[in-house]
Amino acid sequence: MAYAHVQMFMEKLKQLIYSNDIPVINNPSIICERPQFQLLYEELGSMIQIFFNHEDQDLHNFEEVRKLKKRFKTAAEEAEDIVDIFISSVHVRNNGYFTISDVFQTSLNLEDVMRSIKSIKVEFMTTRIDNMKIDSSQRTESAAGTSNPTNSLGSKKVLEEMVVGLGGDVVQMQSAGTSCSRSTLGSKKAVEEMVVGINGDAEIIRDKLVEDGKHLDVVSIVGMGGIGKSTLANKVFIDPYVVYHFHVRGWVTVSQTYDKRDLLIQVLSSIDDQLELEEATDSQLHKMLHRSLYHQRYLVVIDDIWSTEAWDKMKLFFPDHNNGSRILLTSLLNEVASHAKSHGLIHHLQHLTEEESWKLLCEKVFQGDECPKWLIDPGKQIAKNCHGLPLSVVVMAGVLAKETRTKDLWLKISCRFHSYIASDEKGCLETIALSYDHLPLHLRDCFLYLGGFPEDYKIYSPWLLWVWMAEGFIQEDGSRSLEEIANGYLMDLVDRNLLIVEELYILGDVKVCKVHDLVRQVCVEKGKEERFFLKIDSPPSNRLFGIIGKQNKKLRNWKKVITTNKPRRVVTYQEINIKRLSSPPTPSIRSFVCLHWETTIIHNISKFFRSFACPMVLNPETFLCSFALLRVLLLEKCESNDFSPVLALLVHLRYLDIWVSSFPPSICNLWNLQSLGIKTSSSSMVLPSNMSDLVNLWHLYCNADLYLPSIEKPMKLLQVILKVVLGDGVDNFQKCFPGIKHLTTTLYSDEENDFEVLHHLHTLRLIGSGNSRRRSVEEELLRGEPNLGMNHIIRFPETLKVLTLERCGLPWSDMLIIQSLPNLEVLLIKDNGFEGTLWETGEEQFQRLKVLKLKKLNIKKWEASSINFPCLKELQVKDCVNLGEIPLELGDISTLEYIVVKNCGVSLLESLQKIQQEQDDAGNYELKISVDGSYMPSCEPNHDD
């Protein structure tokens, strides 16, 4: 069990114990309870120490320990609820509201939950003592000569024979032991016949396996569950040339649970099915395998391997006789493939195209016959619904092959696609569910959260990371920031093929991702089991199918459902009645996410909240009884200009995303906020001077310009703020945002621009203004039309990696300042960010610059050489209509991969043709040049035999 949520709760307790500068908690009623907070903090720390930091992996009663951990998680959540309700009660009364509910009391009582935690600790320590006694007893028996019998799993030989025909040859593949006795064998067999769309992949793998290298080499196939990795491996395995090239071929399926003896039996059986293996010892099996491979050029397929530890054990079986032997490995995990051969070929198997999915569906359903014309349209829709996953296509083909071939029936099947996939007896979803079962515990909540998004929803990854952080899913490691750790979690899910990358940032981080429909369905099913959230994805006027309770159970009574199951999260992309969510007897909802664009929900919420705009007695059946404990509130798609004061009572919010017409100062009461997103129809917004009361704020973003006239104290944790302008009451960014990492701001012509003191700054976007700072900034912001003008010299920090200069009107001579930055990797100059018709790059280098983008500049001549850009990978030139040519020497940059040009003059295009010709003549066919969306043809010679 991950304990990130407990860590975050302990951080909150620490602030409650020690902080005196947070107005919301600097209240006598809260301060007097600090001894209770201290005792709870110490008890939680003690539990983490014994439960997680010194976890004993050899406990014999593992299931009992697992249950104890689950009880501890529940107790910690209960303790946090009690503390949070107490703080809410104090804050509500302090703001003139009065509650009549027994839930909201201004006294704190942690006695019962503390007893529960101590009871769990005692039970766990007793379990450890019992375990130590068992270990001691076993060591005594071992010392007395007692030996454990050979693993009985190996003695139970279970052979599955799969005969695959190729012309006149028959290749017999066998697998043995427990690794092949799991329920997904049916799915594996179904996949064996899927060969559409992988011929090109098979050629790449085959050519790599039979190339001239003498040392033992590893080739890996990586992809999500059901995408056809085993099918591709088998196609290569039985390829006639591969059969001819290798003297010995073997196949072993590893899976999640594996046994050394079992693996040896598998590979030996696949090499020679006449061997007598059942009575052999492990040592004898190892010798037999060594004799079978001795000085033979062999190919062994290691299918479905899940861990680096498994590879480290298995690689010892396979000797390197310097004769061109190969190992072909398949895995869901890129980490395993990289570990097996860090510089070898790792082939990422892609999804089928819609055309390939349709072709495969036709082959399986019609067995070589043509598809009737009336079935083509519904059939193509069914193929499209499979989203390129071969296993889904085969499952649907099995359904269609059993049904009558009528258009109406196929249309109905296309509409009920997911129900057929879910009921597939061969375990289509089970194949993908293995990925969940093998997830590290700290990733499971992050994975389940993906089930809350609609199908094909494009997820903005920074938002996803911030919500994970707000939910308490991210576990601190002491050496990296939470955001860096969260990004690591995201990449782990990508590497496990559970997330599809849709768009990347310039430096390679994931910008947009999405979830394959079947992976999403696994999230939903597992979420139901875990009661992870209440998902409202159908209109309440029909029937509500939630994620709580038994599968597909119709939840007709919202009050009963919520009261009984106490959902922690509610996700909706439909119209809902907010009042129906506000009637349980105690607060429970920690997260409320609305992903519906055209909705009246915000009107209902605003109307509902406005009813509490004046001090009054709050009925326990109303707002606070459901929402007082909210951590995440996302309403950014619900446009409204109203902000109810009652929202400022939600002091436990960590993530808030809303529409407002102006920035309400009462938001600054939300001292737990980590991320704040503001959308508005206004062009600018003034920030209140008490912004610094948001002591935990990391991210502040808005679609309008933000003006900060003054600030009371530094915001030390703030890392991201976009489109901000400082007023006369603020000296500089270092004094108000000393830890800032991402900043967008405006330059003025009459001021010094010193960013050098921002020692953590990573990304900077500067938007120039020719106006004087002495003019009314508010007036200028409202006008929204800053003029170009010359600015003073700008100083940058050495930490800067990404720099955008827009409308700054700087002279090209100032480029020397930017060239000297040691860590700069991306430079974007647009809309006359630099003024002048000549850019002489000189002899200085951009030491680490990888991407250079020039857009809408009045430059006519650019003088540069390859020496100036030793690391450049991509050059973009757009809408520079006066630029005569791209310097020809830039084509000689060894690292350059792309030149992208759009809407430029004829002479510049001629220079590109010269660069292309020179590089072709030099044998460099790797450089790709794109002009107005089309790549220029290369003169690469044809090496066809």
Side-chain angles (χ1 to χ4, degrees):
M1 179 194 304
Y3 59 96
H5 68 285
V6 184
Q7 283 183 324
M8 186 163 283
F9 178 35
M10 290 178 67
E11 284 300 312
K12 179 190 290 184
L13 288 174
K14 193 186 296 184
Q15 285 187 313
L16 289 169
I17 296 166
Y18 298 111
S19 293
N20 294 314
D21 57 349
I22 303 174
V24 174
I25 63 175
N26 192 19
N27 182 290
S29 298
I30 295 176
I31 292 174
C32 71
E33 300 294 353
R34 284 182 174 179
Q36 287 202 71
F37 297 144
Q38 181 72 43
L39 289 174
L40 178 59
Y41 179 86
E42 292 172 357
E43 197 64 42
L44 292 174
S46 172
M47 292 296 288
I48 287 178
Q49 189 71 15
I50 66 169
F51 253 145
F52 302 102
N53 293 352
H54 299 288
E55 188 168 4
D56 189 349
Q57 299 294 338
D58 299 322
L59 285 172
H60 296 273
N61 38 7
F62 174 80
E63 182 62 24
E64 184 178 343
V65 173
R66 189 188 67 81
K67 290 178 180 178
L68 285 173
K69 289 184 177 183
K70 190 171 183 179
R71 282 173 53 195
F72 171 62
K73 177 184 177 182
T74 302
E77 287 178 350
E78 182 183 350
E80 186 169 17
D81 285 353
I82 293 171
V83 170
D84 286 353
I85 289 173
F86 164 70
I87 294 171
S88 290
S89 302
V90 173
H91 182 60
V92 165
R93 288 178 178 261
N94 198 49
N95 280 269
Y97 295 83
F98 299 92
T99 61
I100 62 174
S101 170
D102 291 338
V103 174
F104 296 98
Q105 299 296 318
T106 53
S107 60
L108 180 66
N109 187 347
L110 293 170
E111 291 182 5
D112 290 342
V113 74
M114 288 286 284
R115 274 197 295 268
S116 296
I117 294 173
K118 288 177 179 178
S119 172
I120 294 167
K121 181 196 287 187
V122 170
E123 290 182 51
F124 179 74
M125 297 306 293
T126 303
T127 301
R128 291 196 66 182
I129 292 171
D130 292 342
N131 183 68
M132 291 168 64
K133 291 178 180 178
I134 294 173
D135 285 344
S136 176
S137 174
Q138 288 183 343
R139 284 193 296 270
T140 302
E141 291 177 3
S142 178
T146 304
S147 60
N148 292 326
T150 302
N151 193 324
S152 60
L153 290 176
S155 65
K156 296 180 180 178
K157 183 178 179 183
V158 182
L159 297 179
E160 288 273 348
E161 296 187 356
M162 292 180 285
V163 180
V164 183
L166 178 67
D169 298 327
V170 175
V171 179
Q172 188 174 23
M173 295 165 51
Q174 298 175 320
S175 55
T178 56
S179 293
C180 290
S181 63
R182 65 192 198 283
S183 61
T184 53
L185 274 176
S187 298
K188 290 277 187 185
K189 290 180 181 178
V191 178
E192 290 298 334
E193 302 177 357
M194 301 183 305
V195 293
V196 171
I198 61 173
N199 289 331
D201 301 276
E203 289 178 8
I204 293 171
I205 301 298
R206 181 197 63 199
D207 292 348
K208 184 64 178 177
L209 291 175
V210 301
E211 68 180 11
D212 291 337
K214 295 300 182 183
H215 285 292
L216 177 65
D217 200 5
V218 180
V219 176
S220 301
I221 304 171
V222 176
M224 70 178 291
I227 203 169
K229 300 182 296 295
S230 299
T231 303
L232 175 58
N234 186 54
K235 183 176 178 63
V236 173
F237 188 80
I238 63 176
D239 182 275
Y241 187 70
V242 170
V243 173
Y244 166 79
H245 182 79
F246 292 100
H247 309 142
V248 174
R249 292 172 303 121
W251 186 291
V252 56
T253 301
V254 182
S255 304
Q256 293 186 77
T257 56
Y258 60 90
D259 174 77
K260 176 183 175 182
R261 177 182 178 82
D262 172 33
L263 299 178
L264 288 167
I265 289 176
Q266 279 195 65
V267 68
L268 282 167
S269 298
S270 64
I271 292 172
D272 185 354
D273 64 340
Q274 302 301 316
L275 292 173
E276 294 292 334
L277 306 174
E278 193 167 336
E279 302 301 325
T281 64
D282 291 359
S283 177
Q284 290 171 333
L285 290 172
H286 202 164
K287 290 179 181 178
M288 292 167 70
L289 179 59
H290 187 267
R291 284 196 299 269
S292 298
L293 302 180
Y294 187 69
H295 286 306
Q296 301 287 330
R297 184 163 62 228
Y298 61 84
L299 168 66
V300 175
V301 176
I302 301 178
D303 187 30
D304 198 22
I305 185 168
W306 283 77
S307 70
T308 56
E309 292 81 4
W311 166 254
D312 288 338
K313 293 178 181 178
M314 289 201 64
K315 68 181 181 182
L316 303 177
F317 298 165
F318 307 112
D320 183 3
H321 295 301
N322 201 32
N323 60 358
S325 294
R326 300 288 183 264
I327 292 175
L328 179 57
L329 178 152
T330 77
S331 180
L332 278 83
L333 308 178
N334 192 65
E335 175 193 8
V336 175
S338 299
H339 180 77
K341 183 70 173 181
S342 58
H343 301 295
L345 173 64
I346 300 177
H347 185 75
H348 293 271
L349 194 54
Q350 303 299 314
H351 293 79
L352 299 177
T353 64
E354 288 185 18
E355 183 180 347
E356 290 168 343
S357 296
W358 170 236
K359 183 179 179 182
L360 177 59
L361 189 72
C362 288
E363 286 188 6
K364 299 306 172 189
V365 175
F366 302 109
Q367 301 293 314
D369 296 334
E370 285 196 16
C371 172
K373 292 182 179 179
W374 63 86
L375 296 180
I376 291 177
D377 288 341
K380 285 187 174 181
Q381 183 59 48
I382 292 171
K384 182 179 180 181
N385 289 343
C386 293
H387 292 277
L389 195 62
L391 184 55
S392 297
V393 177
V394 171
V395 169
M396 292 310 300
V399 172
L400 296 171
K402 299 173 186 176
E403 301 290 351
T404 54
R405 296 174 181 177
T406 66
K407 183 175 182 178
D408 287 344
L409 181 58
W410 278 41
L411 283 171
K412 289 180 181 177
I413 290 175
S414 70
C415 294
R416 299 179 57 195
F417 170 81
H418 288 301
S419 64
Y420 285 100
I421 293 294
S423 61
D424 167 41
E425 64 182 8
K426 293 182 179 179
C428 180
L429 288 180
E430 286 187 28
T431 300
I432 302 172
L434 286 174
S435 300
Y436 176 80
D437 296 335
H438 198 68
L439 278 178
L441 294 174
H442 66 269
L443 285 180
R444 294 194 175 185
D445 283 348
C446 297
F447 176 74
L448 291 180
Y449 207 90
L450 303 175
F453 298 103
E455 292 181 14
D456 299 319
Y457 188 86
K458 292 187 177 181
I459 307 167
Y460 181 54
S461 65
W463 173 86
L464 183 63
L465 302 187
W466 297 344
V467 172
W468 282 350
M469 290 157 62
E471 288 277 7
F473 297 161
I474 310 303
Q475 190 168 307
E476 294 183 19
D477 64 8
S479 59
R480 296 176 296 164
S481 70
L482 276 184
E483 196 157 352
E484 289 173 327
I485 299 170
N487 191 60
Y489 287 13
L490 179 78
M491 293 311 301
D492 202 343
L493 292 175
V494 170
D495 288 343
R496 293 169 184 272
N497 296 287
L498 297 175
L499 269 176
I500 300 171
V501 177
E502 286 282 296
E503 185 179 349
L504 294 172
Y505 283 108
I506 293 175
L507 290 181
D509 287 336
V510 178
K511 182 177 183 180
V512 179
C513 57
K514 72 175 190 177
V515 187
H516 190 283
D517 278 2
L518 288 184
V519 175
R520 174 183 173 275
Q521 197 163 346
V522 170
C523 293
V524 170
E525 296 303 319
K526 292 294 182 181
K528 288 178 181 177
E529 295 174 14
E530 300 287 336
R531 295 183 176 179
F532 188 72
F533 49 59
L534 172 66
K535 184 164 66 69
I536 304 168
D537 53 8
S538 60
S541 56
N542 299 324
R543 290 174 180 173
L544 173 63
F545 292 89
I547 204 163
I548 294 176
K550 295 181 179 180
Q551 182 176 348
N552 296 325
K553 181 181 179 181
K554 298 172 183 177
L555 305 177
R556 300 175 182 270
N557 188 320
W558 289 24
K559 180 176 179 179
K560 180 179 178 181
V561 169
I562 294 170
T563 303
T564 304
N565 297 287
K566 292 188 68 176
R568 310 297 282 188
R569 302 170 188 89
V570 175
V571 180
T572 179
Y573 20 99
Q574 293 292 339
E575 298 285 355
I576 65 170
N577 187 331
I578 192 70
K579 290 185 179 179
R580 293 190 180 182
L581 287 174
S582 57
S583 54
T586 59
S588 63
I589 299 174
R590 287 287 190 177
S591 181
F592 185 88
V593 176
C594 179
L595 300 173
H596 189 43
W597 273 107
E598 297 179 2
T599 180
T600 60
I601 183 175
I602 191 63
H603 173 73
N604 291 335
I605 290 175
S606 298
K607 183 178 178 181
F608 181 58
F609 287 168
R610 277 199 305 271
S611 65
F612 307 115
C614 300
M616 60 172 289
V617 175
L618 292 181
N619 189 295
E621 298 296 313
T622 55
F623 169 70
L624 283 180
C625 286
S626 273
F627 299 110
L629 301 184
L630 272 181
R631 290 178 186 152
V632 174
L633 179 59
L634 190 148
L635 300 172
E636 58 102 4
K637 291 187 177 181
C638 306
E639 186 170 356
S640 173
N641 289 324
D642 294 323
F643 179 83
S644 171
V646 81
L647 281 178
L649 300 179
L650 304 179
V651 291
H652 307 295
L653 276 176
R654 297 172 185 164
Y655 183 96
L656 176 62
D657 210 329
I658 56 171
W659 275 81
V660 291
S661 57
S662 61
F663 197 102
S666 58
I667 281 185
C668 300
N669 289 330
L670 306 178
W671 65 283
N672 279 299
L673 267 186
Q674 298 170 349
S675 301
L676 174 59
I678 299 290
K679 286 201 173 181
T680 180
S681 55
S682 305
S683 61
S684 64
M685 185 174 290
V686 178
L687 298 176
S689 60
N690 66 332
M691 274 292 298
S692 53
D693 287 343
L694 296 173
V695 293
N696 292 301
L697 193 66
W698 294 333
H699 316 107
L700 173 60
Y701 53 98
C702 180
N703 63 336
D705 294 318
L706 299 173
Y707 175 57
L708 182 63
S710 63
I711 193 168
E712 295 173 358
K713 56 190 174 186
M715 300 181 70
K716 296 179 181 180
L717 297 184
L718 191 70
Q719 297 178 9
V720 178
I721 185 168
L722 305 182
K723 304 179 76 172
V724 65
V725 177
L726 300 184
D728 293 335
V730 184
D731 291 338
N732 55 51
F733 286 106
Q734 199 276 335
K735 287 189 177 180
C736 52
F737 312 130
I740 199 74
K741 292 183 178 180
H742 299 258
L743 174 66
T744 299
T745 188
T746 301
L747 294 182
Y748 292 94
S749 59
D750 63 338
E751 67 177 0
E752 295 291 332
N753 298 289
D754 186 4
F755 299 97
E756 194 172 14
V757 293
L758 300 177
H759 302 301
H760 304 279
L761 194 61
H762 175 283
T763 302
L764 176 63
R765 180 186 175 200
L766 299 178
I767 304 172
S769 169
N771 292 314
S772 166
R773 173 110 182 184
R774 289 186 294 270
R775 295 183 57 179
S776 169
V777 176
E778 298 97 325
E779 180 181 322
E780 180 183 321
L781 285 171
L782 291 172
R783 182 164 51 81
E785 298 176 353
N787 297 319
L788 293 173
M790 306 300 285
N791 286 274
H792 285 285
I793 292 177
I794 309 170
R795 288 182 289 274
F796 301 103
E798 293 187 350
T799 54
L800 202 61
K801 289 188 176 183
V802 181
L803 175 61
T804 301
L805 298 170
E806 183 176 348
R807 302 201 304 256
C808 295
L810 298 171
W812 284 107
S813 58
D814 282 359
M815 185 61 77
L816 287 172
I817 300 170
I818 297 173
Q819 284 177 271
S820 67
L821 297 176
N823 295 298
L824 188 68
E825 297 184 22
V826 179
L827 176 61
L828 292 82
I829 308 172
K830 56 191 294 188
D831 297 334
N832 289 326
F834 277 80
E835 279 279 7
T837 58
L838 173 63
W839 177 15
E840 293 180 286
T841 314
E843 298 181 359
E844 296 294 324
Q845 286 188 343
F846 289 90
Q847 300 174 43
R848 293 190 180 181
L849 194 69
K850 297 178 181 178
V851 179
L852 174 62
K853 293 186 178 183
L854 309 176
K855 183 176 181 180
K856 292 185 179 180
L857 304 179
N858 61 3
I859 184 174
K860 293 182 179 180
K861 188 175 182 181
W862 180 15
E863 296 180 0
S865 70
S866 59
I867 297 174
N868 300 126
F869 303 95
C871 302
L872 193 67
K873 291 186 176 182
E874 181 176 343
L875 170 64
Q876 292 190 20
V877 181
K878 298 181 179 180
D879 301 314
C880 296
V881 294
N882 297 321
L883 183 60
E885 66 177 16
I886 302 291
L888 299 183
E889 284 193 35
L890 296 188
D892 297 331
I893 300 173
S894 60
T895 56
L896 190 61
E897 299 173 358
Y898 297 99
I899 298 178
V900 180
V901 173
K902 185 176 181 180
N903 191 26
C904 293
V906 175
S907 61
L908 187 144
L909 299 182
E910 291 174 352
S911 70
L912 289 177
Q913 292 173 344
K914 292 179 182 179
I915 291 174
Q916 181 81 76
Q917 185 63 54
E918 287 184 3
Q919 295 309 305
D920 286 348
D921 292 344
N924 175 20
Y925 307 111
E926 301 301 319
L927 178 61
K928 308 299 181 192
I929 300 179
S930 171
V931 178
D932 293 329
S934 300
Y935 282 103
M936 295 179 63
S938 173
C939 301
E940 181 177 2
N942 191 338
H943 297 291
D944 292 343
D945 294 327

